[in-house]
Amino acid sequence: MSDTHYDIAVIGAGAAGLGIAFYLSEHAHVVVLEREEQPAYHSSGRSAAMYIEGYENPEVAELTSAGRDFFYTPPEVYTDVPLLHPRGGMTAAGPGELDALQRYLDAWQPMCPELKPISADECRERVPILKADWVTGGAFDPTWLSIDVHALLMLYQRGIKDRGGDVLTNKDVQALKRDGNRWTITTAGGSYEADIVVNAAGAWAGVIGQLAGLDGIELTPMRRTAAIIPPPENSEDWPLVHTIGEELYFKPESPGLMICPQDETPSAPMDAFPEEMDIAVAADRFLQVADHPVERIMHQWAGLRTFAPDRRPVVGFDPRADGFFWLAGQGGFGVQTSPGLGERAAQAILTNSAVDSPIAAERFVG
Ligand SMILES: Cc1cc2nc3c(=O)[nH]c(=O)nc-3n(C[C@H](O)[C@H](O)[C@H](O)COP(=O)(O)OP(=O)(O)OC[C@H]3O[C@@H](n4cnc5c(N)ncnc54)[C@H](O)[C@@H]3O)c2cc1C
């Protein structure tokens, strides 16, 4: 016997699960089931919190832009603070990297009209610690923004609850069974019934698929590491700087400067933690391009970014099981795509259709 019946059960209270539940709850009775004591304990609470429309690939760019209006003018009834703050993004090239910089500009300028090349001098005017004997040129895009992730996730949760939905924590989903036209979802804290299950379990999406007997969707969690170091003077308003070789980015992040070696180490789904070697690599790469000492590490963390092989999200009904919907593979873009993708995916569920986007589900087996 289940405790409660819902129209739709979303597994996972990260940005993806809360985002889709926000839109679904306008039209359906929804529950979000989260294993941890609090939402966003895993990847969604460990991101760099950036909103970058020209990111990863054209599909991701399109899904990010689909949430632009939501981010810029969020529903006032659920938040009284802005979700975005100015930051800017600089792509910096070192010796021998100007061709790569040009390729980057050629690829992204058609989609990002404000992305412009800048000289090495302008790079150093904007971020004076960049070494004069390293930086050879760059690009700057003022539309890269910082996301207030806490405010975003609180907005989703307020909306879900206000519309009659539930976000339940300490609910580790351990079994999934389809009987007739209903799923029975057994958790560590009781069982639930729902017509539709949404798999938004982040790094554990493959595990949840297996609970439903659905193997064969390739999703790889990859660890990414970050550290905060004491900041240079007057650096609060600097842009995020990333190297064209994708070996490093750094940006102001209270209480200091966040440095990240852009690592992608395959991992089992787990509570990720930083490896000493990755922190050392981040510090070393930072010292190669910047004139600023790494006196100490003030804070460090790691999180998992889960990718399908083509680095596009896996979204849609699984043709092998009635009422099982994937919302997985959000890689390094799951916060910024959460409203745009969440709204489209919710629409697909409510109309029982494919997702209106080039992402769709063509990679499903069977
Ligand atoms: C260092 C770093 C920097 C990043 N920077 C950015 C950025 O600037 N911008 C951006 O948009 N993205 C960024 N990302 C990526 C972003 O964090 C992820 O894409 C996003 O958080 C994924 O959201 P999610 O909801 O799919 O996963 P998660 O937030 O991990 O949520 C999945 C949830 O499912 C729950 N769950 C799993 N199994 C079960 C179960 N059996 N029962 C119940 N619940 C379960 C988990 O506990 C978890 O809370 C970054 C990631 C990292 C690590």
Side-chain angles (χ1 to χ4, degrees):
M1 272 293 287
S2 80
D3 297 338
T4 317
H5 174 261
Y6 291 86
D7 297 325
I8 303 167
V10 177
I11 301 173
L18 293 173
I20 191 170
F22 175 78
Y23 288 102
L24 287 170
S25 59
E26 262 189 295
H27 307 282
H29 190 211
V30 175
V31 64
V32 182
L33 299 169
E34 167 56 47
R35 180 185 50 210
E36 303 293 347
E37 266 178 40
Q38 71 212 47
Y41 172 77
H42 291 286
S43 306
S44 299
R46 307 177 189 203
S47 85
M50 290 297 294
Y51 175 91
I52 304 170
E53 291 191 1
Y55 186 70
E56 190 71 81
N57 56 49
E59 290 80 15
V60 169
E62 204 248 334
L63 289 169
T64 304
S65 309
R68 183 191 299 145
D69 290 348
F70 175 93
F71 271 119
Y72 276 88
T73 50
E76 280 176 17
V77 56
Y78 299 129
T79 185
D80 49 11
V81 296
L83 299 182
L84 297 176
H85 296 276
R87 174 58 61 212
M90 182 194 296
T91 307
E97 292 183 326
L98 287 177
D99 286 350
L101 180 69
Q102 190 55 51
R103 285 195 295 277
Y104 170 81
L105 285 161
D106 291 344
W108 286 107
Q109 272 183 318
M111 272 169 278
C112 306
E114 297 194 53
L115 175 66
K116 299 277 183 318
I118 57 174
S119 66
D121 285 347
E122 194 177 342
C123 291
R124 298 189 66 246
E125 274 160 33
R126 288 182 181 275
V127 179
I129 60 169
L130 285 171
K131 285 183 174 169
D133 62 359
W134 179 78
V135 65
T136 56
F140 185 75
D141 189 334
T143 69
W144 292 25
L145 299 156
S146 286
I147 302 171
D148 183 336
V149 179
H150 177 73
L152 172 70
L153 300 180
M154 287 310 293
L155 182 166
Y156 288 150
Q157 289 178 75
R158 281 192 202 108
I160 294 163
K161 289 175 188 168
D162 185 52
R163 296 160 175 175
D166 292 313
V167 178
L168 305 180
T169 52
N170 294 313
K171 303 290 179 191
D172 182 8
V173 173
Q174 298 176 339
L176 287 170
K177 191 162 179 289
R178 183 82 173 170
D179 281 321
N181 53 6
R182 276 191 186 172
W183 287 99
T184 300
I185 304 147
T186 307
T187 80
S191 67
Y192 299 84
E193 285 185 349
D195 303 345
I196 292 171
V197 161
V198 176
N199 178 3
W204 289 265
V207 177
I208 294 295
Q210 282 166 3
L211 290 183
L214 301 169
D215 270 323
I217 306 278
E218 200 180 334
L219 288 165
T220 309
M222 308 253 212
R223 189 178 65 243
R224 177 153 286 191
T225 309
I228 305 277
I229 61 170
E233 269 179 31
N234 303 320
S235 57
E236 299 83 7
D237 295 330
W238 286 0
L240 180 148
V241 177
H242 78 108
T243 59
I244 188 69
E246 299 194 358
E247 288 153 343
L248 172 78
Y249 68 76
F250 63 90
K251 67 158 196 152
E253 175 80 51
S254 181
L257 197 69
M258 172 183 172
I259 59 173
C260 170
Q262 298 198 226
D263 45 333
E264 288 192 350
T265 310
S267 165
M270 64 185 291
D271 190 354
F273 57 89
E275 296 281 349
E276 248 176 64
M277 179 54 85
D278 292 324
I279 299 288
V281 168
D284 181 56
R285 290 180 182 171
F286 177 74
L287 292 171
Q288 285 174 33
V289 307
D291 256 329
H292 179 70
V294 179
E295 283 162 352
R296 66 196 164 91
I297 301 296
M298 302 167 81
H299 177 52
Q300 53 184 296
W301 73 94
L304 299 177
R305 301 154 81 244
T306 299
F307 289 94
D310 63 4
R311 297 174 82 94
R312 298 183 303 152
V314 174
V315 185
F317 281 110
D318 194 310
R320 300 167 295 175
D322 281 347
F324 189 94
F325 191 92
W326 292 82
L327 184 61
Q330 278 84 345
F333 43 81
V335 179
Q336 65 177 31
T337 53
S338 63
L341 179 55
E343 186 173 20
R344 283 202 192 164
Q347 191 63 23
I349 289 174
L350 295 166
T351 56
N352 196 17
S353 58
V355 181
D356 172 24
S357 165
I359 50 170
E362 77 268 21
R363 66 173 73 71
F364 284 133
V365 294

